[in-house]
Amino acid sequence: MKSHSVLRLWPAVFLLAAAVSIDAALTAGGVAYTKRYKTALLAEPTPQAKATGELAFAQKVKVEQIQGNWLRVSAGSTSGWVFLGSLSETKPDEGKGLDGAPLLASSTTATAAARPLTPAADEYSQRRNLGSASDDLNWLLNQCSAITAKQVETYMKTNKKGEYQ
Amino acid sequence: MNCRTLLISALVLATASFGYGFDLGGLGKSLGSSDDKLTRGLDTAKDLGKVVKGIAGIGPEEEKAIGDSVALEIVGKYGGLVRDVAIMQRVNLVGRSLASFSDRPDLSWRFAVLDSNTVNAFSAPAGYVFITRGLYELAADDDALAGILGHEIAHITGKHALNIVAKGDALAGATSQLVKRSGNLRALDSQLQQFDIGVGQITKTLFETGFAPQTEYSADKIGHALARVTGYAPGGLRGVLGVLQRRGSNPSLKVFSTHPPLGDRIGRLPDEPATLSAQVAGKAVSSAGQKTSSLPAGKVDADDEAFAKGAK
């Protein structure tokens, strides 16, 4: 049936769209969306600039100007500079925080990284005799929770990554 | 009303009836009122209804349960983790830098090295990325490591593993049952079996069949873009693949056995500098005094020592 043939094409369409959207350049006059819980708008295209405002998650912005890896965007009466990597051409589809709670509760990377294995996974490891793997993963979760967002930012500053290029 | 909508409606009505009459090993008796039974029945119907919603029905909690379980299988199959704090910190600093500019920057991203001399990398839903020791030792610098990790991050942001189980039977619904009724897990044998089957579908893809070639090429492309925007040399992944190709195939050493042929992947990636120094030289930019540092593989610097000691 024709409808089934069309439905089979959708996964390929989505994959192609995803691939194209990442590499396609954001253009002045176009639109973009924020990807993070909070995205700061800056007065100048540098991470040391003063903040002029803040954008919410999945907020639509208009691209006013592009300068290297920085975009000057506007949302209503608010405008400012945002690093290219902090924006997406497609609107994110997650309305809740990654722990199922409202985004406010999942705002910090350190908090998110500190969560233990889910009870379902604990039970799964028992059914599958994966006790050693469970020990390893719990070690990993503890180690990862010790690496703070601040340390990641320090690494990026030191090595000129992200906004610090 | 089209055929798909009619099917969904019929399924929800059928499962609502099923749920209303289904006694979960005495749970029905403990519920008491008919209103409770109706609520449980409707919950069951909603969960089972997620089957036809596909991936949209797998929420954050479900993704975590699936991701944790898949991660357990990966670690169990590939020799456990390399418990070297310096190596763990390096891969997490590079990985989280990349992930912060991915399409899912607020996931709980975790990166680790598997204690296996095979050459491969894996990802699990909810933010787990693993690279084997064999591949880690071939990543001569952060640019190469970033190329590898960027590819795996793309699998997670694209929800490629979740797509597998979204087409399967009642996995999302089964996982939700586990989340909602954790106090009655023993009464949910059939749902537990469904959950295990779903995890098995993902690991079969990861360990045996691999993702479809187009999915892998898409991950290469997205990972390449992610490494570039983060500030790593754009040819990092291509450089590592080239090293593997030049080494030739060794039947005793599995190299990216679940991925498309190296030559195909290399041919689809642009020929760009594999390191930042090569990139700068190629542009002939005068940058006296500007040096991009990179954590050397396996070595610890003062910052790493501070991190290792838990300094904040």
Side-chain angles (χ1 to χ4, degrees), chain A residues 23 35-37 94 98-99 109 112-113 115 118 124 127-128 136 141 143 147 151 155 159 161-162 165, chain B residues 60-61 64 68 73 80-81 83 96 100-101 104 106 108 110 142 196 229-232 293 307 311:
Chain A
D23 256 357
K35 299 187 286 190
R36 296 177 178 170
Y37 166 60
E94 287 160 306
L98 277 306
D99 56 1
T109 303
R115 73 157 179 90
T118 58
Y124 181 84
R127 291 196 301 278
R128 297 278 296 164
D136 268 342
L141 299 183
Q143 291 294 320
I147 301 175
Q151 288 169 341
Y155 166 80
N159 293 281
K161 303 302 177 194
Q165 293 177 61
Chain B
E61 286 303 312
K64 281 185 198 174
D68 283 355
E73 290 286 358
L81 296 182
R83 291 201 186 195
R96 281 170 61 171
S100 66
F101 302 113
R104 304 183 73 190
D106 293 323
S108 300
R110 300 176 179 94
D142 285 357
D196 290 3
V229 77
T230 306
Y232 293 100
S293 61
F307 293 171

Side-chain angles (χ1 to χ4, degrees), chain A residues 139-140 143-144 146-147 155, chain B residues 82-95 111-113 131 136 142 145 149 294-310:
Chain A
W139 172 85
L140 177 65
Q143 291 294 320
C144 287
I147 301 175
Y155 166 80
Chain B
V82 173
R83 291 201 186 195
D84 182 310
V85 174
I87 291 175
M88 187 279 306
Q89 287 177 347
R90 180 193 177 210
V91 293
N92 275 278
L93 288 173
V94 174
F111 301 83
V113 177
I131 172 174
Y136 177 80
D142 285 357
L145 182 59
L149 300 182
S294 177
L295 288 172
K299 292 186 180 178
V300 179
D301 65 12
D303 283 343
D304 276 352
E305 285 183 338
F307 293 171
K309 291 175 183 175

Side-chain angles (χ1 to χ4, degrees), chain A residues 6-7 50 78 110-111 132 138 148 154 158-159 162:
Chain A
V6 171
L7 283 174
K50 180 182 173 184
T78 306
T111 301
S132 180
N138 280 309
T148 64
T154 299
T158 303
N159 293 281

Side-chain angles (χ1 to χ4, degrees), chain B residues 196-216:
Chain B
D196 290 3
I197 288 171
V199 173
Q201 289 172 339
I202 293 176
T203 55
K204 182 179 173 67
T205 298
L206 293 180
F207 303 154
E208 297 175 27
T209 62
F211 289 113
Q214 287 304 322
T215 302
E216 292 292 352

Side-chain angles (χ1 to χ4, degrees), chain A residues 35, chain B residues 63 91-105 107 109-111 121-130 145-161 218-220 222-224 226-227 230 232:
Chain A
K35 299 187 286 190
Chain B
E63 182 175 2
V91 293
N92 275 278
L93 288 173
V94 174
R96 281 170 61 171
S97 299
L98 288 163
S100 66
F101 302 113
S102 73
D103 281 349
R104 304 183 73 190
L107 270 183
W109 291 97
R110 300 176 179 94
F111 301 83
F122 305 95
S123 61
Y128 287 102
V129 173
F130 300 97
L145 182 59
I148 296 164
L149 300 182
H151 172 99
E152 296 304 324
I153 289 171
H155 278 311
I156 294 171
T157 58
K159 298 186 179 181
H160 297 156
S218 171
D220 277 348
I222 295 171
H224 160 265
L226 181 59
T230 306
Y232 293 100

